[in-house]
mmCIF file of all heavy atoms in Angstrom:
data_model
loop_
_atom_site.group_PDB
_atom_site.id
_atom_site.type_symbol
_atom_site.label_atom_id
_atom_site.label_comp_id
_atom_site.label_asym_id
_atom_site.label_seq_id
_atom_site.Cartn_x
_atom_site.Cartn_y
_atom_site.Cartn_z
ATOM 1 N N ARG R 24 -99.013 -37.947 168.650
ATOM 2 C CA ARG R 24 -98.895 -38.539 167.306
ATOM 3 C C ARG R 24 -98.476 -37.493 166.279
ATOM 4 O O ARG R 24 -97.603 -37.726 165.449
ATOM 5 C CB ARG R 24 -100.237 -39.164 166.920
ATOM 6 C CG ARG R 24 -100.211 -39.949 165.632
ATOM 7 C CD ARG R 24 -101.528 -40.719 165.446
ATOM 8 N NE ARG R 24 -101.538 -41.378 164.166
ATOM 9 C CZ ARG R 24 -101.946 -40.826 163.033
ATOM 10 N NH1 ARG R 24 -102.389 -39.580 163.039
ATOM 11 N NH2 ARG R 24 -101.916 -41.495 161.895
ATOM 12 N N LEU R 25 -99.102 -36.328 166.339
ATOM 13 C CA LEU R 25 -98.789 -35.244 165.407
ATOM 14 C C LEU R 25 -97.363 -34.726 165.613
ATOM 15 O O LEU R 25 -96.651 -34.429 164.651
ATOM 16 C CB LEU R 25 -99.794 -34.101 165.595
ATOM 17 C CG LEU R 25 -99.827 -33.015 164.519
ATOM 18 C CD1 LEU R 25 -100.123 -33.596 163.153
ATOM 19 C CD2 LEU R 25 -100.855 -31.963 164.882
ATOM 20 N N LEU R 26 -96.945 -34.647 166.861
ATOM 21 C CA LEU R 26 -95.590 -34.207 167.181
ATOM 22 C C LEU R 26 -94.545 -35.165 166.589
ATOM 23 O O LEU R 26 -93.580 -34.739 165.956
ATOM 24 C CB LEU R 26 -95.418 -34.101 168.693
ATOM 25 C CG LEU R 26 -94.078 -33.562 169.207
ATOM 26 C CD1 LEU R 26 -93.866 -32.120 168.785
ATOM 27 C CD2 LEU R 26 -94.010 -33.685 170.720
ATOM 28 N N LEU R 27 -94.768 -36.474 166.787
ATOM 29 C CA LEU R 27 -93.838 -37.477 166.247
ATOM 30 C C LEU R 27 -93.856 -37.485 164.728
ATOM 31 O O LEU R 27 -92.807 -37.599 164.085
ATOM 32 C CB LEU R 27 -94.189 -38.870 166.778
ATOM 33 C CG LEU R 27 -93.782 -39.169 168.214
ATOM 34 C CD1 LEU R 27 -94.270 -40.543 168.631
ATOM 35 C CD2 LEU R 27 -92.269 -39.070 168.395
ATOM 36 N N LEU R 28 -95.055 -37.363 164.147
ATOM 37 C CA LEU R 28 -95.179 -37.329 162.687
ATOM 38 C C LEU R 28 -94.407 -36.148 162.115
ATOM 39 O O LEU R 28 -93.645 -36.279 161.152
ATOM 40 C CB LEU R 28 -96.663 -37.246 162.308
ATOM 41 C CG LEU R 28 -97.006 -37.413 160.838
ATOM 42 C CD1 LEU R 28 -96.664 -38.823 160.364
ATOM 43 C CD2 LEU R 28 -98.481 -37.124 160.595
ATOM 44 N N ASN R 29 -94.571 -34.988 162.740
ATOM 45 C CA ASN R 29 -93.850 -33.782 162.326
ATOM 46 C C ASN R 29 -92.340 -33.980 162.438
ATOM 47 O O ASN R 29 -91.575 -33.616 161.537
ATOM 48 C CB ASN R 29 -94.315 -32.602 163.180
ATOM 49 C CG ASN R 29 -93.647 -31.311 162.776
ATOM 50 O OD1 ASN R 29 -93.682 -30.913 161.621
ATOM 51 N ND2 ASN R 29 -93.021 -30.650 163.725
ATOM 52 N N LEU R 30 -91.903 -34.585 163.554
ATOM 53 C CA LEU R 30 -90.474 -34.830 163.769
ATOM 54 C C LEU R 30 -89.897 -35.724 162.683
ATOM 55 O O LEU R 30 -88.887 -35.396 162.053
ATOM 56 C CB LEU R 30 -90.249 -35.466 165.147
ATOM 57 C CG LEU R 30 -88.810 -35.921 165.418
ATOM 58 C CD1 LEU R 30 -87.936 -34.743 165.794
ATOM 59 C CD2 LEU R 30 -88.761 -36.983 166.484
ATOM 60 N N TYR R 31 -90.546 -36.862 162.430
ATOM 61 C CA TYR R 31 -90.011 -37.829 161.472
ATOM 62 C C TYR R 31 -90.068 -37.312 160.027
ATOM 63 O O TYR R 31 -89.146 -37.565 159.246
ATOM 64 C CB TYR R 31 -90.728 -39.177 161.603
ATOM 65 C CG TYR R 31 -90.349 -39.920 162.858
ATOM 66 C CD1 TYR R 31 -91.311 -40.388 163.744
ATOM 67 C CD2 TYR R 31 -89.016 -40.134 163.184
ATOM 68 C CE1 TYR R 31 -90.951 -41.060 164.913
ATOM 69 C CE2 TYR R 31 -88.645 -40.797 164.339
ATOM 70 C CZ TYR R 31 -89.619 -41.257 165.194
ATOM 71 O OH TYR R 31 -89.262 -41.921 166.343
ATOM 72 N N ILE R 32 -91.125 -36.572 159.696
ATOM 73 C CA ILE R 32 -91.211 -36.009 158.339
ATOM 74 C C ILE R 32 -90.124 -34.959 158.129
ATOM 75 O O ILE R 32 -89.430 -34.968 157.103
ATOM 76 C CB ILE R 32 -92.615 -35.418 158.072
ATOM 77 C CG1 ILE R 32 -93.631 -36.553 157.907
ATOM 78 C CG2 ILE R 32 -92.613 -34.538 156.817
ATOM 79 C CD1 ILE R 32 -95.080 -36.101 157.828
ATOM 80 N N THR R 33 -89.954 -34.050 159.103
ATOM 81 C CA THR R 33 -88.933 -32.998 158.942
ATOM 82 C C THR R 33 -87.523 -33.588 158.913
ATOM 83 O O THR R 33 -86.678 -33.131 158.141
ATOM 84 C CB THR R 33 -89.025 -31.925 160.046
ATOM 85 O OG1 THR R 33 -88.972 -32.555 161.327
ATOM 86 C CG2 THR R 33 -90.290 -31.115 159.938
ATOM 87 N N GLN R 34 -87.275 -34.623 159.720
ATOM 88 C CA GLN R 34 -85.946 -35.244 159.702
ATOM 89 C C GLN R 34 -85.707 -36.000 158.397
ATOM 90 O O GLN R 34 -84.598 -35.987 157.858
ATOM 91 C CB GLN R 34 -85.760 -36.164 160.912
ATOM 92 C CG GLN R 34 -85.702 -35.433 162.238
ATOM 93 C CD GLN R 34 -84.639 -34.361 162.292
ATOM 94 O OE1 GLN R 34 -83.502 -34.575 161.889
ATOM 95 N NE2 GLN R 34 -84.983 -33.192 162.804
ATOM 96 N N GLY R 35 -86.749 -36.647 157.881
ATOM 97 C CA GLY R 35 -86.638 -37.323 156.583
ATOM 98 C C GLY R 35 -86.320 -36.338 155.470
ATOM 99 O O GLY R 35 -85.467 -36.597 154.613
ATOM 100 N N LEU R 36 -87.016 -35.188 155.477
ATOM 101 C CA LEU R 36 -86.753 -34.138 154.485
ATOM 102 C C LEU R 36 -85.347 -33.570 154.640
ATOM 103 O O LEU R 36 -84.662 -33.297 153.649
ATOM 104 C CB LEU R 36 -87.779 -33.000 154.631
ATOM 105 C CG LEU R 36 -89.155 -33.256 154.031
ATOM 106 C CD1 LEU R 36 -90.129 -32.166 154.452
ATOM 107 C CD2 LEU R 36 -89.075 -33.337 152.514
ATOM 108 N N THR R 37 -84.916 -33.394 155.890
ATOM 109 C CA THR R 37 -83.570 -32.883 156.169
ATOM 110 C C THR R 37 -82.517 -33.816 155.575
ATOM 111 O O THR R 37 -81.585 -33.360 154.901
ATOM 112 C CB THR R 37 -83.361 -32.755 157.698
ATOM 113 O OG1 THR R 37 -84.312 -31.821 158.208
ATOM 114 C CG2 THR R 37 -81.969 -32.268 158.035
ATOM 115 N N LEU R 100 -91.942 -33.902 173.845
ATOM 116 C CA LEU R 100 -91.338 -34.967 173.048
ATOM 117 C C LEU R 100 -90.760 -36.084 173.907
ATOM 118 O O LEU R 100 -90.854 -37.261 173.551
ATOM 119 C CB LEU R 100 -90.242 -34.359 172.157
ATOM 120 C CG LEU R 100 -89.622 -35.263 171.100
ATOM 121 C CD1 LEU R 100 -90.669 -35.771 170.120
ATOM 122 C CD2 LEU R 100 -88.527 -34.521 170.360
ATOM 123 N N PHE R 101 -90.179 -35.745 175.058
ATOM 124 C CA PHE R 101 -89.432 -36.746 175.830
ATOM 125 C C PHE R 101 -90.051 -37.181 177.164
ATOM 126 O O PHE R 101 -89.681 -38.217 177.684
ATOM 127 C CB PHE R 101 -88.014 -36.233 176.105
ATOM 128 C CG PHE R 101 -87.179 -36.053 174.880
ATOM 129 C CD1 PHE R 101 -86.699 -34.800 174.527
ATOM 130 C CD2 PHE R 101 -86.875 -37.130 174.066
ATOM 131 C CE1 PHE R 101 -85.913 -34.629 173.391
ATOM 132 C CE2 PHE R 101 -86.099 -36.973 172.929
ATOM 133 C CZ PHE R 101 -85.621 -35.720 172.590
ATOM 134 N N ARG R 104 -91.698 -40.675 177.033
ATOM 135 C CA ARG R 104 -91.188 -41.540 175.969
ATOM 136 C C ARG R 104 -90.380 -42.692 176.557
ATOM 137 O O ARG R 104 -89.590 -42.481 177.472
ATOM 138 C CB ARG R 104 -90.301 -40.694 175.050
ATOM 139 C CG ARG R 104 -90.029 -41.253 173.683
ATOM 140 C CD ARG R 104 -91.154 -41.127 172.730
ATOM 141 N NE ARG R 104 -91.707 -39.798 172.626
ATOM 142 C CZ ARG R 104 -92.975 -39.557 172.329
ATOM 143 N NH1 ARG R 104 -93.795 -40.562 172.123
ATOM 144 N NH2 ARG R 104 -93.419 -38.331 172.246
ATOM 145 N N HIS R 108 -87.055 -45.304 172.581
ATOM 146 C CA HIS R 108 -87.544 -44.315 171.620
ATOM 147 C C HIS R 108 -86.747 -43.014 171.721
ATOM 148 O O HIS R 108 -86.516 -42.339 170.713
ATOM 149 C CB HIS R 108 -89.037 -44.057 171.848
ATOM 150 C CG HIS R 108 -89.741 -43.564 170.624
ATOM 151 N ND1 HIS R 108 -91.111 -43.527 170.515
ATOM 152 C CD2 HIS R 108 -89.273 -43.070 169.447
ATOM 153 C CE1 HIS R 108 -91.445 -43.027 169.327
ATOM 154 N NE2 HIS R 108 -90.340 -42.742 168.663
ATOM 155 N N LEU R 111 -83.655 -43.710 169.807
ATOM 156 C CA LEU R 111 -83.956 -43.675 168.370
ATOM 157 C C LEU R 111 -84.089 -42.246 167.860
ATOM 158 O O LEU R 111 -83.502 -41.888 166.832
ATOM 159 C CB LEU R 111 -85.247 -44.460 168.097
ATOM 160 C CG LEU R 111 -85.693 -44.519 166.629
ATOM 161 C CD1 LEU R 111 -84.706 -45.344 165.802
ATOM 162 C CD2 LEU R 111 -87.096 -45.095 166.515
ATOM 163 N N ILE R 112 -84.835 -41.415 168.586
ATOM 164 C CA ILE R 112 -85.015 -40.016 168.178
ATOM 165 C C ILE R 112 -83.670 -39.288 168.146
ATOM 166 O O ILE R 112 -83.361 -38.582 167.183
ATOM 167 C CB ILE R 112 -86.009 -39.292 169.121
ATOM 168 C CG1 ILE R 112 -87.432 -39.808 168.895
ATOM 169 C CG2 ILE R 112 -85.956 -37.772 168.927
ATOM 170 C CD1 ILE R 112 -88.437 -39.351 169.943
ATOM 171 N N ALA R 113 -82.868 -39.477 169.197
ATOM 172 C CA ALA R 113 -81.555 -38.818 169.263
ATOM 173 C C ALA R 113 -80.670 -39.240 168.092
ATOM 174 O O ALA R 113 -79.981 -38.407 167.493
ATOM 175 C CB ALA R 113 -80.870 -39.138 170.590
ATOM 176 N N ILE R 115 -81.663 -40.490 165.062
ATOM 177 C CA ILE R 115 -82.212 -39.994 163.790
ATOM 178 C C ILE R 115 -81.910 -38.514 163.609
ATOM 179 O O ILE R 115 -81.447 -38.087 162.545
ATOM 180 C CB ILE R 115 -83.734 -40.264 163.713
ATOM 181 C CG1 ILE R 115 -83.986 -41.761 163.503
ATOM 182 C CG2 ILE R 115 -84.389 -39.454 162.595
ATOM 183 C CD1 ILE R 115 -85.434 -42.178 163.630
ATOM 184 N N VAL R 116 -82.158 -37.725 164.652
ATOM 185 C CA VAL R 116 -81.914 -36.273 164.573
ATOM 186 C C VAL R 116 -80.430 -35.994 164.336
ATOM 187 O O VAL R 116 -80.072 -35.158 163.495
ATOM 188 C CB VAL R 116 -82.427 -35.556 165.849
ATOM 189 C CG1 VAL R 116 -81.960 -34.106 165.892
ATOM 190 C CG2 VAL R 116 -83.946 -35.629 165.922
ATOM 191 N N CYS R 119 -79.485 -37.113 160.582
ATOM 192 C CA CYS R 119 -80.132 -36.298 159.548
ATOM 193 C C CYS R 119 -79.629 -34.853 159.542
ATOM 194 O O CYS R 119 -79.301 -34.309 158.485
ATOM 195 C CB CYS R 119 -81.649 -36.322 159.732
ATOM 196 S SG CYS R 119 -82.375 -37.950 159.481
ATOM 197 N N GLU R 120 -79.558 -34.233 160.730
ATOM 198 C CA GLU R 120 -79.137 -32.831 160.787
ATOM 199 C C GLU R 120 -77.665 -32.662 160.463
ATOM 200 O O GLU R 120 -77.276 -31.689 159.811
ATOM 201 C CB GLU R 120 -79.475 -32.231 162.157
ATOM 202 C CG GLU R 120 -80.966 -32.061 162.361
ATOM 203 C CD GLU R 120 -81.340 -31.273 163.603
ATOM 204 O OE1 GLU R 120 -80.435 -30.794 164.328
ATOM 205 O OE2 GLU R 120 -82.554 -31.130 163.855
#
Side-chain angles (χ1 to χ4, degrees):
R24 187 171 175 273
L25 193 58
L26 184 64
L27 284 176
L28 189 65
N29 182 54
L30 173 79
Y31 288 127
I32 288 172
T33 54
Q34 292 305 314
L36 281 170
T37 298
L100 189 60
F101 295 118
R104 199 76 51 210
H108 205 166
L111 180 68
I112 289 169
I115 288 171
V116 170
C119 295
E120 290 189 2

